[in-house]
Amino acid sequence: MKCILIYYVMVFVIFVNSDTTKRVLLPRLPIGEYRVKMLAIVRCETIKWKDLIKFNFYLSKTSVDTTEIKGNVTYYVPLDDSLNIEVNLAVKDSIGGWKDNAHIFKTPKACSSLKNLLGNSWSTVTKSLGMQNIHGCPIPVGCYVASDMSPNHSFFNLPKQFFYGTYKFRFQFTKNNVVYGCATSVIEVKRPWETD
C-alpha cells in the first residue's frame, strides 16, 4: 500500500513539474542569447558637424509591455554609399558611470551596409519610417515620419549572442571624419528569461 501511495505521489509531482516552457537552470553567465529592451532615445552631445541628417525620435509606451519609436528623420543629403556608419557602445559599469568604446563597429558604404544589417526587415523598417516607395539604395532627400516602429531586434542580422548589461548606443553617419548625423539610445541587453 505504501509503495502505491509513493508511486502516485511521484507521478503527481512529475506531471505538475513537467512544464517544458520553464527553464530549470537559469545560469548567470555574462554572455549568451539575449533580448533588447530600449530604455531611451536621446540627442547626441553637441559637437561640430554638418547636421545634414537629423534624427528626432522618442519612445512612446502604447501599453504596459509595448513600446514604439515615434518621430522623424530628415535627410538634407541622400543616404548613399558615399557615407560611412560608425557605432560606438559605451557600457554602464557597476558604479553607474559609462565606459566608452566597449564595442566599436565601423563600415563604409552606409546605405548598403544598413540594408545588409537590417536583412529581411529592410522593407518593414523603411515602411514604418514612411518610405513606402523606397526599395533600395540610395534613400533620397526628405523628411520621413516614423509610425508603428517597434524596437525589436529579432529580424536584424545581429549576433545571436552578446554580453549582458546596459549600453549607450551611439549610431552616426560620417564622411571624411565629419559627422553628418547622429542618434544615441540607451539599451539593456537582458537574458531571455529575465523580467522587466
Side-chain angles (χ1 to χ4, degrees):
M1 185 69 178
K2 288 183 182 181
C3 292
I4 293 174
L5 181 61
I6 292 173
Y7 174 74
Y8 283 126
V9 170
M10 286 178 27
V11 169
F12 177 74
V13 169
I14 289 171
F15 279 115
V16 169
N17 290 328
S18 66
D19 187 3
T20 57
T21 60
K22 292 182 183 178
R23 293 182 71 118
V24 178
L25 179 64
L26 303 175
R28 302 287 299 169
L29 297 174
I31 187 172
E33 292 182 5
Y34 62 95
R35 65 182 181 88
V36 174
K37 180 181 179 187
M38 190 170 280
L39 302 176
I41 298 177
V42 294
R43 294 181 187 251
C44 289
E45 297 86 20
T46 307
I47 56 173
K48 295 180 183 177
W49 60 28
K50 292 196 175 192
D51 210 16
L52 295 174
I53 300 174
K54 290 186 180 180
F55 295 97
N56 296 308
F57 292 118
Y58 62 94
L59 294 179
S60 174
K61 204 147 180 75
T62 56
S63 70
V64 175
D65 58 353
T66 307
T67 303
E68 289 181 352
I69 299 172
K70 299 214 178 214
N72 63 57
V73 58
T74 305
Y75 294 101
Y76 294 104
V77 294
L79 177 59
D80 56 18
D81 285 344
S82 68
L83 298 173
N84 303 316
I85 294 176
E86 294 183 12
V87 176
N88 190 322
L89 271 72
V91 67
K92 194 172 197 177
D93 62 18
S94 59
I95 59 171
W98 294 105
K99 289 185 180 178
D100 289 332
N101 305 325
H103 301 280
I104 298 172
F105 174 75
K106 295 180 182 182
T107 184
K109 299 183 179 181
C111 191
S112 298
S113 297
L114 192 59
K115 188 173 180 180
N116 182 40
L117 177 69
L118 293 175
N120 295 333
S121 63
W122 169 262
S123 60
T124 305
V125 171
T126 54
K127 284 180 186 174
S128 63
L129 279 173
M131 305 175 193
Q132 283 78 10
N133 299 324
I134 298 171
H135 303 291
C137 293
I139 296 176
V141 172
C143 181
Y144 302 100
V145 179
S147 62
D148 302 328
M149 189 168 164
S150 170
N152 187 352
H153 77 284
S154 61
F155 298 63
F156 303 165
N157 290 332
L158 296 175
K160 302 301 179 207
Q161 295 187 346
F162 201 74
F163 294 95
Y164 302 119
T166 304
Y167 295 93
K168 186 167 32 171
F169 180 88
R170 182 184 173 95
F171 180 89
Q172 59 190 24
F173 294 110
T174 62
K175 186 176 184 178
N176 298 327
N177 294 324
V178 175
V179 178
Y180 277 53
C182 174
T184 302
S185 59
V186 178
I187 61 172
E188 203 172 26
V189 179
K190 301 181 85 164
R191 292 168 184 85
W193 56 85
E194 286 183 316
T195 58
D196 293 331

